[in-house]
């Protein structure tokens, strides 16, 4: 799509430049404008390439998340079966999973070191 747009703008530029009178003062701007338009077209093409690469990674991450969640649900189902077979109750299977408190930052924090000479906990 971007290549077609670039080709179209190149053709349009050629038509507009050809229609300029030979003694037009605008001819001195043709080269800088052409350079700028070409640079912009290359930047837009690069942007499309990067976006495409990111969307591929994004899809990989989504597939991984769905696979992980499916595995988690499968394990939970098997644990519920074990709990039912042994009479443990439904909450037994839930003890294997972290409660959904939504605070992942809390789990990643490292406690501060104890001062020297303090008894270890």
């Amino acid at each position: 799509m971007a290549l077609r747009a670039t080709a179209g703008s190149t053709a349009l530029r050629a038509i507009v430049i050809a229609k300029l009178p030979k003694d037009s003062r605008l001819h001195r701007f043709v080269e800088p404008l052409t350079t700028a338009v070409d640079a912009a077209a290359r930047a837009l093409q690069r942007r499309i390439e990067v976006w495409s690469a990111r969307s591929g990674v994004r899809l990989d991450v989504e597939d991984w998340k769905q696979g992980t969640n499916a595995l988690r649900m499968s394990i939970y189902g098997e644990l519920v079966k074990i709990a039912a077979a042994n009479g443990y109750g439904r909450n037994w299977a839930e003890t294997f999973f972290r409660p959904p408190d939504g605070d992942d930052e809390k789990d990643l924090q490292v406690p501060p070191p104890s001062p020297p000479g303090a008894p270890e906990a």
Side-chain angles (χ1 to χ4, degrees), residues 35-81:
T35 303
V37 168
D38 290 341
R42 284 191 305 274
L44 288 173
Q45 181 62 34
R46 179 68 182 139
R47 181 179 176 192
I48 289 170
E49 291 168 2
V50 169
W51 182 84
S52 297
R54 282 184 181 168
S55 65
V57 170
R58 190 177 314 121
L59 291 175
D60 289 345
V61 169
E62 286 300 317
D63 286 345
W64 179 82
K65 285 180 182 180
Q66 289 176 359
T68 302
N69 283 332
L71 178 63
R72 184 182 60 80
M73 293 303 292
S74 175
I75 291 170
Y76 179 75
E78 292 299 318
L79 288 171
V80 168
K81 286 181 192 176

Side-chain angles (χ1 to χ4, degrees), residues 6-8 13 25-26 39 43-44 51-52 56 65 67 74-75 79 86 89 91 93 107 110 112 116:
T6 303
R13 262 195 325 246
R25 287 190 265 169
L26 296 176
L44 288 173
W51 182 84
S52 297
K65 285 180 182 180
S74 175
I75 291 170
L79 288 171
N86 295 321
N91 289 342
D107 296 331
V110 177

